[in-house]
Amino acid sequence: MPDLRQIIARNRAGEPIAIPSVCTAHPDALEASLTLAETLDQPIVVEATSNQVNQDGGYTGLMPAAFIRFVADIATRAGVDPARILFGGDHLGPQAWRKLPATQAMDKAHRMVADYAAAGFTKIHLDCSEGCAGEPAQLTDEITASRSAALAATALRHAPDPAALLFVIGTEVPPPGGARTDDHGDIPPTTPASASATLAAHAEAFRALNLPLDQIGGLVVQPGVEFSPMEVHHLPLARKPHLLDALKDWPGLCLEAHSTDYQHAAAYPRLAELGFAFQKVGPALTFAWREALYALDALRSQNGWASGPSLADTMEQVMLANPAHWQAHIHGQTADPRSERHFGLADRIRYYWPDPKAREAVQRLMTDLADKRLPDPMLHAHFREDEIATARANAYPLPRALALARVQTALRPYFFTGPRS
């Protein structure tokens, strides 16, 4: 099994090593990610979020144990060794029920965390930073830590192997739909003082419940990487936020970076040098899948092979028929709303691929291209040479293989440390 504590220890010893945490429930994005990890002989973390997977089903309709089976089935079909996969729970707290009073929302959160731990999730991000009904939008470190420690106690009681649990704390992440920039358009990193305060509050809360401090393994902080609807805020490679200073009394702790999607390849080893041994990615993978499907759709249209409306037109109809997943996040401030629905970096379109009309449209695209000759000069207009070579070596039909290869292009920079020893 991948050993997160060993990765943390190597990172804290100065080795630029990190493990990618893939946060998606899209089956094709997952297959591409797991297959790449297998090809490179690397470990990988697959994460589910609290609004995605919970005891009520979340927006995927999956409970925690079912999500693990779902991923395991994908791995089995793809010939991926399940031993290289670790499972993480992201933002586990009352968020999905924060419209309820705190007591009720936290009762729901405890049930969810118990289910995650019992199912075999071992990387547990505790997030109680958002207020519930009648509370401030953002809570203090003390309240956040107290609630998080209570959830940690629940996880430890329900885990098959309590010692295997590794808790991640901290919530220095942007609001849904956009990044917080300063007056210069920069993403300010978390200050060492703020990180230290978060650690101190959690240490006090864990001690109050007699919980093991050495099972806190990760601290979420902002290194200065983010993406807004139509713009990537790249890591300033020369920046030294000195966040490791806050960890000097925590030798078993590393930093975790959220929203690392779309960064330049050089950012990932640099983040590892700065102490970020856990690097999260999600929307960039399904963005790549959409990008590949739209490229294939363009090839189909250019050659007169389409048997129905364009994929983009179908997806527009699907999204307009059910605006719940994009309406609160897309305001047309940086592009017209249709452009943001289809091309926005937050990739709100990812929620719509399971829709029956979307599934039918994707299948029609694959069928329309199934018996067509797709020579390299045609493909080079939309796909990289290495993607084409990877796809041609794949046992899948070429159109599907090309889409999987594009997802792997997005994930490949996260695997910069070479095969595990």
Side-chain angles (χ1 to χ4, degrees):
M1 284 288 291
D3 188 340
L4 293 182
R5 289 178 175 82
Q6 184 183 73
I7 290 171
I8 293 169
R10 290 169 62 185
N11 180 279
R12 291 299 305 276
E15 184 178 345
I17 184 174
I19 186 170
S21 287
V22 170
C23 193
T24 182
H26 190 287
D28 300 289
L30 281 169
E31 179 176 345
S33 301
L34 298 177
T35 303
L36 181 61
E38 181 73 22
T39 299
L40 299 175
D41 188 25
Q42 290 274 22
I44 189 169
V45 178
V46 174
E47 304 223 14
T49 62
S50 58
N51 66 330
Q52 187 183 62
V53 173
N54 57 50
Q55 68 268 28
D56 299 327
Y59 69 74
T60 63
L62 295 173
M63 298 179 187
F67 180 81
I68 285 184
R69 290 194 299 270
F70 167 70
V71 175
D73 287 346
I74 293 172
T76 298
R77 290 195 303 269
V80 174
D81 181 0
R84 72 175 67 256
I85 307 169
L86 281 171
F87 288 92
D90 195 26
H91 296 293
L92 301 190
Q95 284 86 340
W97 307 283
R98 63 182 180 272
K99 292 182 180 179
L100 298 174
T103 300
Q104 296 178 36
M106 284 301 297
D107 285 345
K108 289 274 206 177
H110 278 279
R111 166 66 191 280
M112 176 181 62
V113 167
D115 287 354
Y116 266 78
F121 288 80
T122 55
K123 181 176 178 284
I124 304 293
H125 175 211
L126 304 166
D127 182 1
C128 299
S129 63
E130 294 185 76
C132 300
E135 296 183 323
Q138 295 296 125
L139 301 177
T140 64
D141 270 341
E142 289 71 26
I143 296 174
T144 296
S146 176
R147 292 178 180 178
S148 295
L151 291 180
T154 293
L156 289 163
R157 285 196 302 271
H158 289 84
D161 179 9
L165 293 182
L166 194 75
F167 297 113
V168 177
I169 60 172
T171 55
E172 190 75 22
V173 294
R180 294 189 180 98
T181 58
D182 62 18
D183 293 339
H184 304 288
D186 190 22
I187 303 294
T190 304
T191 65
S194 177
S196 295
T198 297
L199 284 171
H202 282 79
E204 182 177 351
F206 268 59
R207 289 191 187 103
L209 296 181
N210 198 29
L211 302 179
L213 288 180
D214 61 359
Q215 287 190 242
I216 300 177
L219 174 66
V220 178
V221 288
Q222 172 58 269
V225 301
E226 191 47 68
F227 54 91
S228 53
M230 292 299 214
E231 182 183 2
V232 179
H233 299 270
H234 290 285
L235 176 72
L237 296 178
R239 173 186 283 168
K240 295 181 179 180
H242 300 290
L243 285 162
L244 281 175
D245 293 350
L247 309 188
K248 61 181 182 300
D249 297 325
W250 295 75
L253 190 73
C254 72
L255 302 174
E256 175 165 300
H258 286 217
S259 301
T260 66
D261 309 65
Y262 311 110
Q263 292 290 309
H264 296 311
Y268 304 108
R270 177 57 179 156
L271 284 169
E273 290 175 353
L274 295 173
F276 290 88
F278 297 161
Q279 301 180 7
K280 298 284 292 296
V281 57
L285 305 180
T286 45
F287 183 96
W289 177 258
R290 191 274 317 153
E291 193 175 52
L293 293 186
Y294 278 23
L296 292 167
D297 193 36
L299 289 175
R300 177 176 63 165
S301 176
Q302 291 160 5
N303 287 280
W305 297 332
S307 61
S310 72
L311 179 58
D313 284 347
T314 298
M315 295 307 295
E316 178 72 356
Q317 293 173 8
V318 170
M319 286 187 283
L320 290 178
N322 176 19
H325 296 300
W326 61 265
Q327 197 167 50
H329 307 283
I330 293 175
H331 309 289
Q333 296 173 343
T334 55
D336 68 79
R338 175 166 175 146
S339 295
E340 286 195 27
R341 280 193 290 274
H342 293 264
F343 302 101
L345 295 174
D347 195 48
R348 305 304 298 181
I349 198 174
R350 71 184 185 274
Y351 294 96
Y352 296 91
W353 296 115
D355 184 277
K357 290 183 179 179
R359 291 165 64 91
E360 179 184 348
V362 172
Q363 184 55 55
R364 186 170 61 248
L365 170 64
M366 297 299 174
T367 299
D368 286 346
L369 294 175
D371 60 348
K372 303 301 188 294
R373 183 170 176 267
L374 301 175
D376 285 4
M378 180 189 300
L379 297 178
H380 279 146
H382 299 281
F383 294 94
R384 297 177 5 164
E385 186 170 348
D386 58 330
E387 291 171 340
I388 297 170
T390 297
R392 291 201 182 281
N394 197 313
Y396 285 122
L398 185 59
R400 173 171 166 75
L402 284 165
L404 292 170
R406 175 58 58 85
V407 176
Q408 292 181 341
T409 294
L411 184 61
R412 181 64 182 83
Y414 288 83
F415 292 108
F416 55 83
T417 54
R420 52 181 174 165
S421 56

